[in-house]
Amino acid sequence: FLNAIGVLVVWTYGIWLISKREPDFTLGALNKFVGLATVFYSKLEMMSRIVNASQRAAACAQRIFEILDRSSNVPE
């Protein structure tokens, strides 16, 4: 969702700059900037997925160690 909003904001601002006839900002520059914004947001999304997966792995490991540390009630 953030990716779509971020790219929409970049497009809107870029079109506004082009309509004001900014000398340093062209359609090619807008295209490059949107591409870079898309790469940035995809990397950000990938990092959030990695953090989510590592947190889930840590929670699962904690549960496994709780089970392994439990003492047995069954006599030997």
Side-chain angles (χ1 to χ4, degrees):
F1 183 68
L2 287 177
N3 186 9
I5 290 176
V7 171
L8 181 66
V9 167
V10 168
W11 271 107
T12 305
Y13 185 66
I15 290 171
W16 180 73
L17 283 176
I18 290 172
S19 69
K20 286 186 62 168
R21 307 252 190 244
E22 287 290 324
D24 296 334
F25 206 77
T26 62
L27 190 57
L30 175 63
N31 196 14
K32 285 182 196 177
F33 196 71
V34 167
L36 289 174
T38 304
V39 169
F40 171 74
Y41 282 116
S42 66
K43 297 295 182 187
L44 193 64
E45 182 180 348
M46 185 174 52
M47 285 179 10
S48 69
R49 286 184 184 177
I50 289 172
V51 168
N52 187 21
S54 63
Q55 287 176 344
R56 287 180 59 195
C60 290
Q62 183 180 2
R63 289 185 202 127
I64 289 171
F65 285 125
E66 286 174 0
I67 291 171
L68 291 176
D69 289 341
R70 203 179 322 171
S71 61
S72 175
N73 295 339
V74 179
E76 293 186 19

